[in-house]
Amino acid sequence: RLQIQPERLFVGPHHPDVGALATPSPDGSVHHFCQFTPKCLLAVSRGTHGNSPLRHGEEGWHDGTLRTTIRVDNEVEAHREANNYKFGFRKWKGNVTEKPIEDRSDIDKELHTDLSIVKNTEGLFFVGNIVYVFLFGWWISLIYLLICPVMFLTVFGVPYGKVCLKLAWYIIWPFGKSVQRVNGYKSSMISVDMSAVKPTNCDIVPQEHKDLVGDKDCAPLLVSSPLPIKIPVPTLPPRKTRKHWCRVSTFLWLLLGYPVLAVVHCLAFVLSWLPVFTIPIAKMNSRILTTVLLMAPEDIEIHSVDKKDACETRVVLYCYQAFNVYYYKYTVQGINIFALNLLPLVFVTVIAGYTDREHEYFSTETMFTIAIVSIIPLSYYIGMGIASISAQSNFAVGAVVNATFGSITEMTFYITALLRGHRAGSNCYEEIVKSALAGTLIGCILFIPGICMTIGGIKHSEQRFNSRSAGVSSALLFISIGGVFAPTLFSKTFGNLVCESCSSTPGNGTVPFTCKDCHYETVADPHLILSHIEPLVYTISVLLPASYLIGLIFTLKTHAHIYDIHVSDSHPVVHWSRWRALAVLIFATVLMASCADLCTVNIEPILSHSSISQYFIGVSVLAMVPELPEIVNGIQFALQNNISLSLEVGNCIAVQVCMIQIPLLVLFNAFYDVGFMLVFSDIHLWASIFSVILVNYIFMDGKCDYFQGTALVVVYFIILAVYFFAPSPRSC
């Protein structure tokens, strides 16, 4: 066991069992990293799990597997991490609780700054800062220069005219300049004499851990540990209140100058907030509008920051960069910035879709595009709501929530499409639904693992995962695919071979018949459908959910030995409570149903007049666009060297499609006949079976790299090319 466990995976700060023996990550923004385990640490992990020894069966499962030690901040995050390793639970990367700002990485602290701390930076002539001048700086500064003479002409508004002149020169190049408040005292300053105070980065091993490091060979001499330093902050004198709100100049400013600038800064805020990476400009405009422009004119001072100053000063406003590539990680109340920015698009889609039915303002193609894109943020909110409720509830509640709301995104589209096709009397919608189902299976089996292995392999060269755990998921995937396509194989075995046209040479009996477009037809034989195929479909629709339940119980016990979660003593502050998360789930589900309905309404002209195969539309766009949040989660796991969860992301979705979504569609059709029959086309059958065989072959050795990931992605695009050039279904 010492040979099969050379590495362990740590998350967060120090391991609680060995105290300061665990060396923290050199990059605070990376939470998952691999490190070599000294032999004294192996002696700890070689013992029992918890307070009781492993039983014989559990030890057999545990041998040959890599345990993952996870450090979390609170009990809620511990539940979220544990749910990620459970079968049937959607994998969620983001935190569901608020992390204290002092415990975050330097990059995260920088993202969530309010632009009130002056920092010593080297150089300000970044490309983003120069681009800011051409996109925002010159025209905002020009408007200030135009308002300046207006305030001077009022005579009483001269102080505000001077402020406009100051801010005009500030806004055209605000970088490296600070806006400070003058109230008879200097700004709050927190400084450290770096030459006098040089804290060591080493600490003595605590007394309570001496039993772990009693052996001299494995006892470390120095351990990385920050040394806390208490810095006295001088008490600030009480701020003098200004009565500038009662002045005539303030009244003129609020009447003539401030409204125009409010429109300007709001426009600049929106234009810089939506691209995400220019959010520092949005923060600067917000601070100027809500704070600087409402200050007394005599209180505003603008200074250039000395580059040699090594202290951190708190001011009203300080900005040194206009562009930050790390803002894709930015969150508001735990919500990712991209999902937040796409939320207005959802309301625009719903309002425009149900008010502009004649397509006077938006074409059919435009409405379909924005409707399908609106599903992306709604999928994110549903995923976050599921993760929040599951992390704050017991296993039974979490399993029910994941089984129901975990498939709500796809089910709303499938059911609305089937209803639309039933009302229109067209079987084309049924084929689109089947194409979307097959496309989700193929994408989750090939594309999601492939793209995660490729991106993760580029960063980490070779990644290892638990082959035994992957084997369980692969077995469930085989059961799922076999059950879903069993009626298709049955119909091809006992169905009638029908050809569209057959011809022969007259007078020549030696030449055989030539038949074109031959296929197995089951609709023409009602007896075969009613007596054989339908009972088989209902039987499978009962067995697949039963297999899902068995897999859920089985992996609940076995997968518990894959990870080891240790919880600190911090108090959790959740982003969404259970009731708030439930309200978000319900509201997002209603909006999802509306967007799905708009998709099915506006896809009909595309299906009728498009030269692209309907197979391709269902397999690519309708299948994979709703899964984009899951793809992002998988990529984030892979970048943090947790490829096991990346692979489980796709498997989890594929298994839910087969064991939950398809049986639910069969059940829905049993109560409300919309003509849905669980018989797929040949192209869906062979593409899905080939995908499962290929991915199981690659997962056999328990390790992967970017070459294997690239192979899966290439095969996925080859299958997409086959769908693209395939003729449309006969019903379309």
Side-chain angles (χ1 to χ4, degrees):
R1 298 187 62 164
L2 295 178
Q3 295 177 355
I4 63 177
Q5 295 183 353
E7 295 181 349
R8 297 191 67 174
L9 185 66
F10 290 89
V11 180
H14 307 291
H15 192 287
D17 293 337
V18 294
L21 288 178
T23 305
S25 171
D27 184 3
S29 64
V30 181
H31 301 287
H32 297 256
F33 61 94
C34 291
Q35 85 175 31
F36 177 74
T37 310
K39 64 180 180 179
C40 56
L41 183 57
L42 286 174
V44 175
S45 62
R46 193 162 54 114
T48 60
H49 177 68
N51 297 325
S52 60
L54 293 172
R55 292 186 293 271
H56 177 72
E58 297 174 349
E59 188 173 1
W61 166 268
H62 181 59
D63 287 340
T65 61
L66 293 175
R67 289 182 62 84
T68 300
T69 302
I70 303 174
R71 172 75 173 179
V72 294
D73 296 326
N74 51 68
E75 195 71 28
V76 176
E77 292 296 337
H79 283 292
R80 181 187 61 81
E81 288 286 352
N83 291 337
N84 283 338
Y85 291 90
K86 294 175 182 176
F87 167 77
F89 281 68
R90 288 290 179 106
K91 319 306 174 189
W92 189 255
K93 176 63 184 66
N95 292 336
V96 296
T97 60
E98 184 177 356
K99 195 171 186 179
I101 190 66
E102 60 272 8
D103 296 337
R104 301 181 184 182
S105 63
D106 293 336
I107 294 177
D108 202 13
K109 291 178 182 178
E110 180 65 27
L111 297 180
H112 291 84
T113 182
D114 58 352
L115 302 184
S116 63
I117 301 295
V118 175
K119 295 185 178 180
N120 184 22
T121 57
E122 298 180 359
L124 298 171
F125 291 94
F126 305 119
V127 176
N129 293 355
I130 298 174
V131 173
Y132 159 82
V133 177
F134 294 97
L135 295 181
F136 295 95
W138 70 271
W139 62 272
I140 300 178
S141 178
L142 179 62
I143 294 175
Y144 271 92
L145 291 177
L146 294 176
I147 295 178
C148 178
V150 175
M151 299 308 300
F152 272 103
L153 290 176
T154 61
V155 179
F156 292 102
V158 169
Y160 284 99
K162 295 179 180 179
V163 169
C164 290
L165 189 60
K166 289 181 183 179
L167 291 177
W169 291 111
Y170 170 79
I171 287 176
I172 197 170
W173 185 263
F175 313 109
K177 301 176 184 177
S178 64
V179 180
Q180 301 183 17
R181 184 190 298 271
V182 179
N183 274 333
Y185 60 90
K186 296 293 183 182
S187 301
S188 173
M189 182 173 293
I190 305 174
S191 60
V192 180
D193 187 358
M194 303 306 293
S195 61
V197 181
K198 295 182 178 180
T200 178
N201 198 30
C202 303
D203 199 1
I204 303 174
V205 179
Q207 181 69 26
E208 57 269 16
H209 299 304
K210 286 186 178 179
D211 55 339
L212 297 176
V213 294
D215 189 1
K216 294 182 180 180
D217 294 335
C218 65
L221 296 178
L222 298 176
V223 179
S224 174
S225 177
L227 182 63
I229 302 174
K230 293 184 179 180
I231 303 175
V233 179
T235 305
L236 300 178
R239 179 176 297 176
K240 298 179 181 179
T241 58
R242 296 283 186 180
K243 297 183 179 180
H244 68 284
W245 295 105
C246 301
R247 301 173 186 171
V248 177
S249 60
T250 304
F251 175 77
L252 293 174
W253 170 248
L254 296 177
L255 183 64
L256 300 177
Y258 186 80
V260 178
L261 294 176
V263 175
V264 170
H265 284 293
C266 287
L267 178 61
F269 176 86
V270 173
L271 294 177
S272 56
W273 181 273
L274 291 179
V276 174
F277 302 105
T278 55
I279 285 181
I281 303 176
K283 290 183 177 181
M284 183 187 68
N285 282 275
S286 176
R287 178 58 67 93
I288 292 175
L289 178 62
T290 59
T291 303
V292 177
L293 295 182
L294 298 178
M295 292 168 55
E298 61 273 16
D299 287 349
I300 301 175
E301 279 190 356
I302 300 176
H303 298 284
S304 297
V305 177
D306 188 4
K307 296 181 180 179
K308 298 181 180 180
D309 191 7
C311 62
E312 290 189 352
T313 307
R314 184 172 294 276
V315 295
V316 176
L317 176 61
Y318 176 76
C319 182
Y320 71 92
Q321 62 178 356
F323 184 89
N324 190 339
V325 70
Y326 291 103
Y327 262 96
Y328 71 90
K329 300 180 178 180
Y330 188 68
T331 59
V332 179
Q333 291 293 317
I335 304 173
N336 184 268
I337 184 62
F338 288 103
L340 186 66
N341 284 356
L342 286 175
L343 187 59
L345 180 65
V346 177
F347 298 104
V348 172
T349 300
V350 174
I351 294 174
Y354 288 105
T355 56
D356 186 24
R357 293 184 178 273
E358 302 298 328
H359 301 290
E360 297 179 0
Y361 303 100
F362 298 95
S363 64
T364 302
E365 293 78 8
T366 303
M367 280 305 307
F368 174 77
T369 302
I370 62 175
I372 199 69
V373 173
S374 299
I375 294 179
I376 299 175
L378 294 176
S379 300
Y380 175 88
Y381 289 113
I382 290 175
M384 186 173 179
I386 292 172
S388 299
I389 294 178
S390 301
Q392 302 175 64
S393 307
N394 55 28
F395 170 75
V397 174
V400 172
V401 170
N402 277 270
T404 53
F405 286 98
S407 301
I408 201 69
T409 301
E410 296 85 357
M411 291 301 299
T412 51
F413 172 77
Y414 299 152
I415 292 177
T416 52
L418 291 175
L419 290 174
R420 178 73 56 181
H422 178 66
R423 297 191 190 102
S426 172
N427 293 329
C428 186
Y429 286 90
E430 180 188 2
E431 291 297 330
I432 292 296
V433 170
K434 293 178 182 178
S435 298
L437 288 169
T440 304
L441 289 177
I442 298 170
C444 292
I445 295 172
L446 293 179
F447 181 74
I448 295 181
I451 195 68
C452 293
M453 291 163 62
T454 302
I455 297 178
I458 292 175
K459 182 177 181 180
H460 300 286
S461 182
E462 183 179 88
Q463 295 180 294
R464 295 181 178 271
F465 55 91
N466 194 310
S467 59
R468 185 68 180 273
S469 174
V472 174
S473 300
S474 300
L476 290 170
L477 197 58
F478 262 117
I479 297 173
S480 304
I481 297 296
V484 167
F485 289 100
T488 304
L489 294 173
F490 184 88
S491 65
K492 295 186 180 304
T493 303
F494 300 100
N496 298 322
L497 183 63
V498 179
C499 299
E500 295 296 332
S501 61
C502 295
S503 61
S504 63
T505 303
N508 190 354
T510 60
V511 179
F513 281 95
T514 302
C515 297
K516 298 180 180 180
D517 196 11
C518 298
H519 59 278
Y520 285 95
E521 185 66 56
T522 58
V523 180
D525 190 354
H527 177 73
L528 180 65
I529 297 175
L530 296 176
S531 302
H532 302 282
I533 295 181
E534 280 192 356
L536 175 62
V537 169
Y538 293 143
T539 303
I540 291 174
S541 299
V542 173
L543 293 177
L544 286 178
S547 302
Y548 181 86
L549 182 61
I550 295 173
L552 198 67
I553 299 173
F554 176 74
T555 54
L556 175 64
K557 178 181 179 181
T558 56
H559 283 51
H561 299 289
I562 300 174
Y563 55 88
D564 187 14
I565 299 178
H566 297 272
V567 185
S568 62
D569 297 329
S570 60
H571 179 67
V573 179
V574 295
H575 292 300
W576 295 357
S577 64
R578 278 176 289 190
W579 288 108
R580 180 181 179 184
L582 181 61
V584 170
L585 280 177
I586 296 174
F587 187 60
T589 302
V590 174
L591 292 177
M592 180 72 71
S594 301
C595 292
D597 180 63
L598 292 174
C599 284
T600 57
V601 169
N602 293 278
I603 198 177
E604 183 177 1
I606 299 176
L607 297 177
S608 303
H609 303 92
S610 178
S611 59
I612 303 176
S613 173
Q614 283 78 5
Y615 281 136
F616 179 79
I617 297 175
V619 168
S620 59
V621 178
L622 300 180
M624 296 309 295
V625 169
E627 308 301 338
L628 280 180
E630 302 293 338
I631 297 175
V632 173
N633 280 332
I635 292 175
Q636 289 179 337
F637 285 128
L639 288 175
Q640 295 185 346
N641 206 18
N642 196 348
I643 193 65
S644 297
L645 287 185
S646 297
L647 303 181
E648 288 291 336
V649 168
N651 284 341
C652 178
I653 301 174
V655 170
Q656 281 195 343
V657 168
C658 296
M659 294 189 171
I660 294 180
Q661 295 178 17
I662 290 179
L664 285 178
L665 289 177
V666 173
L667 181 64
F668 175 78
N669 186 79
F671 286 96
Y672 189 85
D673 189 6
V674 291
F676 178 76
M677 186 186 304
L678 195 60
V679 176
F680 290 84
S681 303
D682 291 355
I683 188 173
H684 300 323
L685 171 66
W686 303 122
S688 301
I689 293 178
F690 174 75
S691 301
V692 173
I693 295 175
L694 176 63
V695 79
N696 278 274
Y697 173 76
I698 290 182
F699 289 170
M700 287 175 59
D701 56 354
K703 59 183 179 181
C704 60
D705 48 43
Y706 72 90
F707 175 75
Q708 294 177 333
T710 305
L712 291 179
V713 174
V714 169
V715 171
Y716 174 73
F717 283 114
I718 291 175
I719 294 177
L720 283 188
V722 172
Y723 278 107
F724 183 83
F725 294 105
S728 298
R730 299 178 185 87
S731 57
C732 294

